[in-house]
Structure formats: C-alpha cells, structure tokens
Amino acid sequence: MEAIGIHLNNIHKTFLHRVKGEVKAVNNVNLNIEHAKLVTLLGPSGCGKTTTLRMVAGFEQPDKGTIFLGEENVTNLLANKRNIGFVFQNYALFPHLSIYENVAYGLKVQGISPQEEKKRVNEILAMVGLTGYEAQFPHQISGGEQQRVALARAIVIRPKVLLLDEPLSNLDAKLRVHTRSEIRRLQQSLNMTSIYVTHDQEEAMAISDRIAIMNKGKIIQVGSAEELYFQPNSEFVAKFIGRINSLPAEVQEADDSFILVKIFSHTYKISTTLDGIKPQQKMNVFIRPEFVQLSKQAEENELKGIITEKVFLGEKVEFTVDVYGHTLNITSYNAVESAKYLLNQEVGVCLAEKELKIFTEKGD
Ligand SMILES: Nc1ncnc2c1ncn2[C@@H]1O[C@H](COP(=O)(O)OP(=O)(O)O)[C@@H](O)[C@H]1O
Ligand SMILES: [Mg+2]
C-alpha cells in the first residue's frame, strides 16, 4: 500500500450551536503527518478533535484553510473520492448485514470482482482474528468483536489514510488495552498514515508516533509522548500529560540563563532563557510528583510539610503533603524508603531543582 502524508494548513471551522451560539470548533489548526505515521489528537471533550477528523474525511467542509493528502489538495473533494478508512466510536455496522457482508461492503461499492472480494475479506478477517465469523450478525458478537469488524471494514478497501475517532471508548478497560495494540500492529504492518482521536492520555501515549494536544479548537503542542512529558510548552500540556504540582514563587534574581525564585522558605535556581522576568515578580513554578522527595528531617531552609494522605499502589506509593497550606503530590517508587513515612508525620520536602519548570503559556 502506498502511504502518503496528511497536511492541514490553517484550518478553521465555526458552527452555529443552538445553545452555545457561535462556536469556533477548530481555530487555525496546522498539522503535518508523515507517511505511515500515527498521530493522535488528544484533548478534553469539545476541543475540536472530531470536527478536525471529519474535515480530513470530507464529512465536514472547513470555512478556511487547506487539506492535502500527499500532493493532492482534497479540500473540496467529496468524501467518497478521498480513499479514506474511518472507524467510528459506535462502530456503525450495518445491523442487517452479516459480518462478511459488512466487511465486503466497500469493495462492492468499488466494483471489485467477487473472487477478489472473497480473497480480500478473508485476508482482513484473518488479520483482525475473526476467521469463522463470516455468517454471524453484529448483534450476535461482542463489543470488542464488533469494533474489529469496523476496523476490518475500514481497512479492507486499502485506504491511503486511516482515521479513528475514539474507537475504543465503548470497550472495557482490559479489552481496550488489547485492541489498541492490535490497531497499532495493523497500522504499522499496513503502513497506513493515521489520525487517532482520544481523550485518554494513556491510550494516546501507548499508540502514537506523535501526539497533538488540543484545547478550545487549537493545537497547543505536538510531540512524542516523551517530549510532551518532559518538555511541555504550557501549563495545560503539563497537566494533560501526566500530573504536575504548581507552587507559588517570587523571583529574586533574573539573569540571561537562569532565575532565582523563592518558594516559601527556600530559594531555587531554575535554568531559563525566557525574557522579561523581573525581580519581585510572582509566578507559579511546576514540578512533577516523582521529582519531589521526602526526608525525615528538613535541612535548614528546606520546605516542611505534613503527610495528609498515603496510598500504597504496589510499584509506587502516592503521598499528599500539606506544605504551608499548599497541597503537594509526591510519588515514590522506592517501597523500602516510603515505608518509613506515615500519615500525619512531619517531613522535609525536597524539590529536585533541575526539574522545576516555568511556563509563559497557560495553553488555554
Ligand atoms: N454539527 C455541529 N453543530 C454545532 N456545533 C457543533 C457541531 N459539531 C461540533 N460542534 C461543537 O464544536 C465543538 C467541538 O466539537 P467536537 O469536534 O465534537 O469536539 P471533541 O470531538 O473534541 O469532543 C463543541 O463545542 C461542539 O459542541
Ligand atoms: Mg469527539
């Protein structure tokens, strides 16, 4: 299968919503997806993921901007001329057709010979692990199996591009994990350039080459899971991928390459090349829970706190610590160490200086 890139340039889409009035569902989206890669649109409900995907499919027309599939400008091309496979959240199988007929549907539309049709349907059903299900009807099979039929139906036409809109949200947790790795395996083995939509960060991290974080119709940041986790560009991204603590700070000194900030009783040095930070300025400083450490005794000037919650989760322990009226989440992966700390205990709280982050963008 020939794989092609997907390119969205300055895409806008406004709806007139009956309750909300004018809604900028998609507000100047730019996205380039290399051939054979899977990019996920990740963001909260209502941020414009489905609308973006539907415009790529041709189910919706952008108000402004262009969409290219490979070299071809498809912005004004009808959906059925785009050669795209689409998997919907609710499967959208034809209830009165057998599994075989559901999968064969797109091939019949294309006028493919009965022999070739049989060969390709059987091949795809084998790929998704549904050989033997040909004569069954959708209501006779489980949700997970129905979703695999939907996937088979989308890819049997050998689309240049595969689009999936929250394809796993109707499945239970265990099946979701299994099915997502099946989707990833097929996407990679068939070299299908794909856009995957979800609001689930773990799913996005597990399945994607790159993730585009969306909020309020805009793409806030695009990157690999690692890039987004370790180098978020905004508070919004830092909070959407993983968890992060926010602490009030006051700038004491600002240099070209670093700033000194005071957080409660302690002064920290943060490397930054951001301009315009001034002494006495108040700001929030951020740190992920795994980069905060407890100690039995606070060193001089070190932060002090009281453990208000301790949750043992096997491979990790999660503490909530009250630091001068501020709640801090701390994650420890050291079982022996964390056994030493108990509820209501007074502790020292050490922030790993290297891991302190500041953001100029809120992302919303
Ligand atoms: N057909 C429509 N008519 C009016 N408003 C719509 C329509 N489709 C989507 N919207 C609005 O556009 C925004 C983005 O929706 P959507 O793309 O479905 O978000 P997501 O898939 O990220 O949950 C929402 O505010 C939604 O209410
Ligand atoms: Mg949606």
Side-chain angles (χ1 to χ4, degrees), residues 46 49-51 89 165-166 197:
K49 306 181 295 293
T50 294
T51 306
Q89 177 174 350
D165 192 359
E166 312 233 9
V197 162

Side-chain angles (χ1 to χ4, degrees), residues 13-26 41-54 60 89 165-166 197-199 214 216-217:
K13 182 72 183 178
T14 302
F15 288 114
L16 198 52
H17 193 275
R18 256 182 294 167
V19 183
K20 302 183 219 170
E22 210 172 79
V23 177
K24 282 191 178 172
V26 175
L41 304 180
L42 173 67
S45 175
C47 72
K49 306 181 295 293
T50 294
T51 306
T52 304
L53 204 65
R54 288 173 56 82
E60 209 76 72
Q89 177 174 350
D165 192 359
E166 312 233 9
V197 162
T198 182
H199 62 272
M214 287 188 77
K216 297 185 181 161

Side-chain angles (χ1 to χ4, degrees), residues 4 9 18 46 56-57 140 142 155 168 194 198 213 217 237 276 303 307 316 349 354:
I4 55 170
N9 308 309
R18 256 182 294 167
V56 177
Q140 295 174 312
S142 72
I155 62 183
L168 307 179
S194 304
T198 182
I213 307 268
V237 172
L303 307 187
I307 298 175
K316 63 180 176 185
V349 175
K354 276 200 336 298

Side-chain angles (χ1 to χ4, degrees), residues 2-290:
E2 168 216 14
I4 55 170
I6 305 173
H7 308 281
L8 309 187
N9 308 309
N10 306 104
I11 298 292
H12 291 255
K13 182 72 183 178
T14 302
F15 288 114
L16 198 52
H17 193 275
R18 256 182 294 167
V19 183
K20 302 183 219 170
E22 210 172 79
V23 177
K24 282 191 178 172
V26 175
N27 188 0
N28 198 25
V29 158
N30 287 281
L31 185 64
N32 289 301
I33 304 172
E34 279 173 56
H35 69 97
K37 297 290 185 206
L38 186 152
V39 169
T40 293
L41 304 180
L42 173 67
S45 175
C47 72
K49 306 181 295 293
T50 294
T51 306
T52 304
L53 204 65
R54 288 173 56 82
M55 287 192 282
V56 177
F59 301 148
E60 209 76 72
Q61 192 72 21
D63 300 333
K64 255 202 289 190
T66 53
I67 299 172
F68 280 77
L69 298 182
E71 303 284 296
E72 192 184 4
N73 184 342
V74 299
T75 317
N76 298 309
L77 196 66
L78 289 173
N80 61 10
K81 296 279 189 292
R82 293 191 190 188
N83 194 9
I84 277 174
F86 202 104
V87 181
F88 299 88
Q89 177 174 350
N90 59 5
Y91 322 139
L93 298 178
F94 304 117
H96 56 287
L97 296 185
S98 70
I99 300 312
Y100 179 93
E101 290 164 328
N102 261 284
V103 176
Y105 184 83
L107 297 175
K108 287 198 166 48
V109 171
Q110 287 185 347
I112 288 197
S113 77
Q115 278 158 312
E116 176 70 10
E117 172 194 298
K118 195 150 198 270
K119 182 171 150 273
R120 279 175 52 182
V121 173
N122 288 338
E123 200 177 273
I124 293 285
L125 284 176
M127 262 186 216
V128 299
L130 288 177
T131 300
Y133 283 65
E134 293 80 357
Q136 302 274 297
F137 283 81
H139 71 271
Q140 295 174 312
I141 64 177
S142 72
E145 289 160 352
Q146 288 182 43
Q147 191 51 290
R148 273 143 63 198
V149 175
L151 186 63
R153 187 182 58 176
I155 62 183
V156 76
I157 59 166
R158 299 186 180 162
K160 286 195 223 157
V161 161
L162 181 65
L163 307 177
L164 308 105
D165 192 359
E166 312 233 9
L168 307 179
S169 48
N170 290 336
L171 306 181
D172 64 54
K174 217 167 172 181
L175 205 52
R176 270 209 299 273
V177 171
H178 177 72
T179 313
R180 83 182 178 212
S181 53
E182 288 291 289
I183 292 176
R184 179 61 161 161
R185 185 179 57 78
L186 283 170
Q187 180 266 327
Q188 288 184 316
S189 65
L190 299 175
N191 273 332
M192 287 180 290
T193 313
S194 304
I195 306 181
Y196 189 99
V197 162
T198 182
H199 62 272
D200 183 309
Q201 62 138 313
E202 187 192 298
E203 196 171 299
M205 291 172 98
I207 205 168
S208 318
D209 291 299
R210 293 196 307 150
I211 301 170
I213 307 268
M214 287 188 77
N215 191 26
K216 297 185 181 161
K218 292 185 188 280
I219 291 182
I220 310 295
Q221 189 176 3
V222 185
S224 67
E226 285 91 342
E227 281 162 358
L228 296 174
Y229 191 83
F230 290 111
Q231 292 133 40
N233 69 357
S234 58
E235 189 176 336
F236 182 81
V237 172
K239 287 185 172 159
F240 212 85
I241 292 276
R243 298 188 306 156
I244 200 155
N245 291 297
S246 161
L247 289 160
E250 188 182 298
V251 179
Q252 298 200 309
E253 236 184 277
D255 204 311
D256 289 346
S257 58
F258 69 91
I259 56 172
L260 292 180
V261 296
K262 189 161 189 189
I263 302 175
F264 303 116
S265 53
H266 197 278
T267 300
Y268 299 87
K269 184 173 174 179
I270 305 177
S271 298
T272 176
T273 51
L274 287 175
D275 285 337
I277 300 178
K278 302 246 160 19
Q280 264 111 57
Q281 184 180 331
K282 302 259 197 289
M283 57 165 46
N284 285 316
V285 170
F286 298 85
I287 188 161
R288 296 220 182 262
E290 66 271 30

